[in-house]
Amino acid sequence: MNNRRLIKLFLLVLIIFLSFRVVPMAAEWKASLGTDIERLVDRRDQLERLLESREEWRGRLEKLTGSETTVTARSLPGGRPEVASARLQSLLRDYADEAGVEVSSLSLPEVEVFGSWRLLQQVLTLQGTEAAVLDFLDRLESGRKLIRVVGFNMRKDRTTLLGSATVVGFAPLAAQPKDGTDE
């Protein structure tokens, strides 16, 4: 009989242990599984939405790549700032000659770096007739290279306009060659 009492006592302790320890642990485990399943379902839905809009994003990427190619083709030659500066000054003189404007001076270009692009700012002093100056400005703005007038100051002396224009151009930075050293 003593063994029966011990067995009953053991079963009672086992039932209490299971009730207060194992059952709550199983409930927590089930709740965490439910949370994990909800999270995975949300992630699956998000990925399905991304798959549905894949063509839209591919089109946007192609459009941006095309725009980048166009801008790069219209930029000044990259590499060194001296090359881009010389090309900018050459273009300004060519446009002035074509329009019949006299360029009396060109400043040294100011060069600033923005991301992977170099911005060149050039101030030039010029004179010419009103029609010639307007033609020159039109050639700058609509030319094959991406050059823009950002400042303009003119005064009239009889039939001639005298003044200055501030022009900017863009050139891509040259990619730095990798020499394999970690310095």
Side-chain angles (χ1 to χ4, degrees), residues 51-70:
L51 279 173
E52 290 170 1
S53 62
R54 179 176 54 186
E55 290 305 316
E56 173 189 350
W57 288 106
R58 185 173 285 141
R60 287 183 182 188
L61 175 63
E62 289 172 3
K63 184 177 178 182
L64 284 173
T65 304
S67 296
E68 181 181 13
T69 302
T70 302

Side-chain angles (χ1 to χ4, degrees), residues 44-115:
R44 183 200 65 204
D45 293 344
Q46 179 186 22
L47 291 173
E48 284 176 353
R49 284 191 302 274
L50 284 173
L51 279 173
E52 290 170 1
S53 62
R54 179 176 54 186
E55 290 305 316
E56 173 189 350
W57 288 106
R58 185 173 285 141
R60 287 183 182 188
L61 175 63
E62 289 172 3
K63 184 177 178 182
L64 284 173
T65 304
S67 296
E68 181 181 13
T69 302
T70 302
V71 168
T72 302
R74 293 189 64 206
S75 67
L76 298 168
R80 300 185 330 214
E82 299 83 16
V83 173
S85 297
R87 182 64 178 137
L88 176 61
Q89 289 180 349
S90 174
L91 283 170
L92 291 173
R93 288 195 186 281
D94 289 347
Y95 288 148
D97 288 344
E98 291 169 5
V101 171
E102 179 185 335
V103 175
S104 51
S105 70
L106 287 168
S107 69
L108 288 174
E110 293 179 23
V111 180
E112 293 183 47
V113 175
F114 294 98

Side-chain angles (χ1 to χ4, degrees), residues 2-178:
N2 210 3
N3 284 341
R4 279 189 170 189
R5 273 186 151 179
L6 281 173
I7 291 174
K8 286 181 182 180
L9 183 60
F10 176 73
L11 288 175
L12 181 62
V13 170
L14 183 62
I15 291 171
I16 291 173
F17 177 75
L18 290 175
S19 299
F20 290 104
R21 288 287 194 185
V22 175
V23 171
M25 285 176 23
E28 288 177 20
W29 181 69
K30 182 181 177 189
S32 73
L33 279 178
T35 303
D36 288 346
I37 289 171
E38 286 178 22
R39 203 172 326 127
L40 288 172
V41 166
D42 289 343
R43 180 70 177 149
R44 183 200 65 204
D45 293 344
Q46 179 186 22
L47 291 173
E48 284 176 353
R49 284 191 302 274
L50 284 173
L51 279 173
E52 290 170 1
S53 62
R54 179 176 54 186
E55 290 305 316
E56 173 189 350
W57 288 106
R58 185 173 285 141
R60 287 183 182 188
L61 175 63
E62 289 172 3
K63 184 177 178 182
L64 284 173
T65 304
S67 296
E68 181 181 13
T69 302
T70 302
V71 168
T72 302
R74 293 189 64 206
S75 67
L76 298 168
R80 300 185 330 214
E82 299 83 16
V83 173
S85 297
R87 182 64 178 137
L88 176 61
Q89 289 180 349
S90 174
L91 283 170
L92 291 173
R93 288 195 186 281
D94 289 347
Y95 288 148
D97 288 344
E98 291 169 5
V101 171
E102 179 185 335
V103 175
S104 51
S105 70
L106 287 168
S107 69
L108 288 174
E110 293 179 23
V111 180
E112 293 183 47
V113 175
F114 294 98
S116 62
W117 289 90
R118 186 176 284 125
L119 173 114
L120 293 96
Q121 181 172 316
Q122 176 81 54
V123 178
L124 61 144
T125 306
L126 52 100
Q127 67 180 10
T129 65
E130 186 175 330
V133 170
L134 289 175
D135 185 34
F136 171 70
L137 294 174
D138 184 53
R139 288 174 190 269
L140 282 177
E141 291 286 326
S142 62
R144 62 189 178 276
K145 292 295 180 184
L146 189 58
I147 300 172
R148 295 293 176 254
V149 177
V150 295
F152 188 70
N153 185 9
M154 285 290 174
R155 65 182 169 81
K156 190 169 186 173
D157 183 32
R158 296 187 195 154
T159 60
T160 304
L161 291 176
L162 306 164
S164 65
T166 304
V167 177
V168 294
F170 299 92
L173 290 176
Q176 297 296 325
K178 294 185 179 181

